[in-house]
Amino acid sequence: MKTADTPLQVLFGGRDRRWLLFWIIAVGGLGVWDFMFLNRPALERVIEGFLNTFAIAFLVVGCTLAIAWIVTLVYYRLEHASNRTGFYLFSFFLNLIRSIPQIVGILFGYIGIAGLVTAEVLSGKTAVFLLMALCISFFIMLEVVDLLRERIDHYTKLDFFNAMRVCGVSQWRIINFDILWKNSRIHILNKLISVFGSAVFLQCSVDFIISVGLSSEVNAVTLPTTLGSLLAKMDSKQDILAIGNTITNISYLPALFFQHLQGITVAFLIVITLLAVYQISCGYAERHRL
């Protein structure tokens, strides 16, 4: 008989749990240090950028799952239709999206969003966040679609699918509940962890490019502050360059943690988050033997 896990086993029983705990401790410790030594305006910008980045990333996860689920069902319906014209057109459309580099597609999407905000067509942080999340989701949802299609193809070839159909169970109920929910939710959750990491990376990369290419006044009006846009600010860039100066002047090292906190904090948050998400995804897959 299997015994219940102890609290220590729950916390340290897998690489994913250990890295999640490490990320929480690292970010919490950095927050305490910044609260003591980072000036108030910079601290407020870092907190705002951190919260905005994670809010958009979580929205991306939800939007990606919803869009991918719908696209998968439409693809399955068209694939098994008597008239294959719609299937070929839909496949061509998906392959067209797949051929566009993600960062390029998201960059043009963000430029369009910035134009809508400037023209006052969009107003309110929620609407901007949702549109930014939809833009990112549109270009990464095919990763989830491929997984969902793979799971459906695997289970529809098994005997249980035809047996349940003979018993009168709707194929859509079998696909949505028995296949995707009951037998694939662990695989889907693992993929969504990776989607979260991709969302953070793409968001920071695109925001950095836009912030470098546009003036700070335009960026402040159009798009919300994120870790990527903070990293492109002059103060942060000078803080990052100070690390290079430390390589040749090791005595300057203590000053990094007091005089250049904004740039180092932003860079650390991006790096530790991406590293932790990767390790959590790998550890989750190992723990569930995916």
Side-chain angles (χ1 to χ4, degrees):
M1 183 176 180
K2 185 178 179 180
T3 59
D5 291 338
T6 64
L8 286 178
Q9 288 176 325
V10 173
L11 287 175
F12 303 104
R15 178 157 54 128
D16 54 335
R17 293 170 177 172
R18 290 194 298 270
W19 270 93
L20 177 59
L21 182 62
F22 170 74
W23 180 86
I24 293 173
I25 294 174
V27 173
L30 179 63
V32 172
W33 186 269
D34 284 348
F35 184 79
M36 292 189 298
F37 299 107
L38 186 60
N39 64 80
R40 185 62 57 181
L43 178 62
E44 292 176 353
R45 287 195 298 268
V46 170
I47 293 175
E48 181 184 5
F50 178 81
L51 294 179
N52 289 347
T53 299
F54 273 68
I56 296 172
F58 278 114
L59 280 174
V60 169
V61 171
C63 293
T64 299
L65 178 60
I67 296 172
W69 203 295
I70 294 172
V71 168
T72 301
L73 296 180
V74 172
Y75 193 96
Y76 181 85
R77 179 64 179 270
L78 294 175
E79 187 178 18
H80 294 83
S82 56
N83 188 346
R84 304 276 288 182
T85 303
F87 169 71
Y88 293 128
L89 290 176
F90 195 65
S91 298
F92 175 78
F93 174 71
L94 295 181
N95 290 330
L96 186 63
I97 298 175
R98 198 186 302 272
S99 67
I100 302 174
Q102 292 176 335
I103 195 168
V104 174
I106 296 170
L107 176 61
F108 281 102
Y110 270 36
I111 292 173
I113 294 171
L116 293 176
V117 175
T118 303
E120 298 184 352
V121 176
L122 281 178
S123 60
K125 182 180 291 188
T126 303
V128 175
F129 278 15
L130 183 58
L131 204 55
M132 292 170 69
L134 287 172
C135 178
I136 299 175
S137 301
F138 184 76
F139 289 98
I140 65 177
M141 58 90 180
L142 288 177
E143 299 177 16
V144 183
V145 170
D146 292 339
L147 172 65
L148 299 182
R149 287 182 54 205
E150 177 186 341
R151 302 298 295 174
I152 292 174
D153 289 342
H154 172 73
Y155 279 98
T156 52
K157 294 176 182 177
L158 301 180
D159 293 337
F160 101 97
F161 181 79
N162 292 326
M164 295 189 72
R165 293 282 289 143
V166 170
C167 292
V169 182
S170 168
Q171 68 173 346
W172 300 114
R173 196 267 187 189
I174 300 173
I175 291 173
N176 287 290
F177 182 73
D178 295 283
I179 295 178
L180 295 182
W181 173 247
K182 288 185 65 176
N183 292 290
S184 302
R185 63 177 180 269
I186 293 177
H187 299 77
I188 295 172
L189 179 57
N190 186 58
K191 175 58 70 172
L192 292 180
I193 295 173
S194 300
V195 167
F196 181 86
S198 298
V200 172
F201 172 76
L202 290 170
Q203 182 187 162
C204 291
S205 300
V206 173
D207 282 340
F208 181 84
I209 295 171
I210 291 178
S211 298
V212 170
L214 301 177
S215 67
S216 59
E217 291 79 12
V218 173
N219 184 65
V221 171
T222 53
L223 297 179
T225 301
T226 64
L227 293 178
S229 61
L230 280 178
L231 193 63
K233 290 186 176 297
M234 184 59 66
D235 294 343
S236 297
K237 288 188 286 188
Q238 290 176 346
D239 295 339
I240 300 300
L241 290 175
I243 299 176
N245 179 52
T246 306
I247 297 176
T248 57
N249 183 15
I250 196 64
S251 62
Y252 194 72
L253 180 63
L256 293 179
F257 304 101
F258 297 96
Q259 301 177 20
H260 303 282
L261 266 182
Q262 176 176 308
I264 292 178
T265 296
V266 173
F268 178 81
L269 287 173
I270 294 174
V271 171
I272 194 63
T273 298
L274 294 178
L275 178 61
V277 169
Y278 172 77
Q279 295 292 344
I280 290 171
S281 178
C282 294
Y284 187 84
E286 290 175 359
R287 186 157 58 90
H288 293 279
R289 300 177 181 177
L290 301 182

